[in-house]
Amino acid sequence: VLDLPELLRTPVALRQAPTLAQPTAPAAPAARRQVALAVDDSLSARRSLAQFVQDAGLEVRTARDGLEAIEIINGKRPDIVLADLEMPRMNGLELAAHLRANQTTRDLPVIMITSRSTDKHRREAEAMGVNVYLTKPFAEDELLGHIKKLLRQA
């Protein structure tokens, strides 16, 4: 039996259809999306990289340089970092060295994406602990393959 005057007085948001007591299954925890941090001082490069990574299914955060990246990492550690080499305040090599020197970020995968293609820069990046070194323009399929591989290893 419905009490029509009472239903009209009750806000719609509070109304519930009468139901038989049925046990409810506990809600499954939502799968956490992996987080990538895109670090580049070029706004267009940063946006393009962020869009690519987001389209690949990752949550994305962005930073303009290494110092801003460290602030973001200290707030919420990402699962992978994609960084340019040449940036103001703190470049990609300095960022990688800082991450490797810190116990909580020592194993954080780092992919360096840069226009510098010399062996000297590659060796410097390797010495700083960069996992993958790609030159611009990069092949999206190649970058995606490296991201997936590093995230599986982490």
Side-chain angles (χ1 to χ4, degrees):
V1 177
L2 296 175
D3 184 357
L4 194 52
E6 181 61 28
L7 281 174
L8 293 173
R9 285 191 295 270
T10 307
V12 174
L14 298 178
R15 290 185 204 158
Q16 249 185 324
T19 60
L20 297 175
Q22 295 179 1
T24 57
R32 184 184 80 79
R33 280 179 48 187
Q34 292 180 305
V35 178
L37 176 59
V39 188
D40 199 311
D41 59 318
S42 164
L43 177 61
S44 59
R46 192 169 59 244
R47 282 185 178 168
S48 174
L49 184 58
Q51 186 63 56
F52 171 75
V53 174
Q54 187 173 9
D55 290 347
L58 281 76
E59 183 179 325
V60 183
R61 293 194 170 74
T62 61
R64 292 180 297 259
D65 60 35
L67 286 179
E68 187 176 351
I70 289 171
E71 290 176 23
I72 291 169
I73 292 167
N74 288 339
K76 182 178 180 192
R77 185 182 185 275
D79 298 295
I80 192 164
V81 174
L82 312 170
D84 187 18
L85 190 146
E86 296 177 309
M87 297 178 289
R89 300 194 308 160
M90 179 184 275
N91 68 36
L93 295 174
E94 295 164 333
L95 172 60
H98 175 84
L99 295 174
R100 296 302 177 242
N102 187 323
Q103 185 65 34
T104 60
T105 58
R106 179 169 298 181
D107 298 323
L108 182 60
V110 176
I111 297 177
M112 185 155 290
I113 304 170
T114 179
S115 59
R116 297 294 182 175
S117 61
T118 66
D119 285 338
K120 172 191 163 200
H121 290 102
R122 285 182 186 277
R123 283 192 306 273
E124 288 175 347
E126 186 178 316
M128 295 301 157
V130 170
N131 299 83
V132 176
Y133 189 96
L134 297 176
T135 55
K136 296 176 185 177
F138 58 87
E140 290 182 344
D141 290 344
E142 182 182 8
L143 174 58
L144 186 57
H146 287 300
I147 290 170
K148 288 180 177 180
K149 180 181 176 188
L150 290 170
L151 289 176
R152 279 194 304 268
Q153 293 173 358

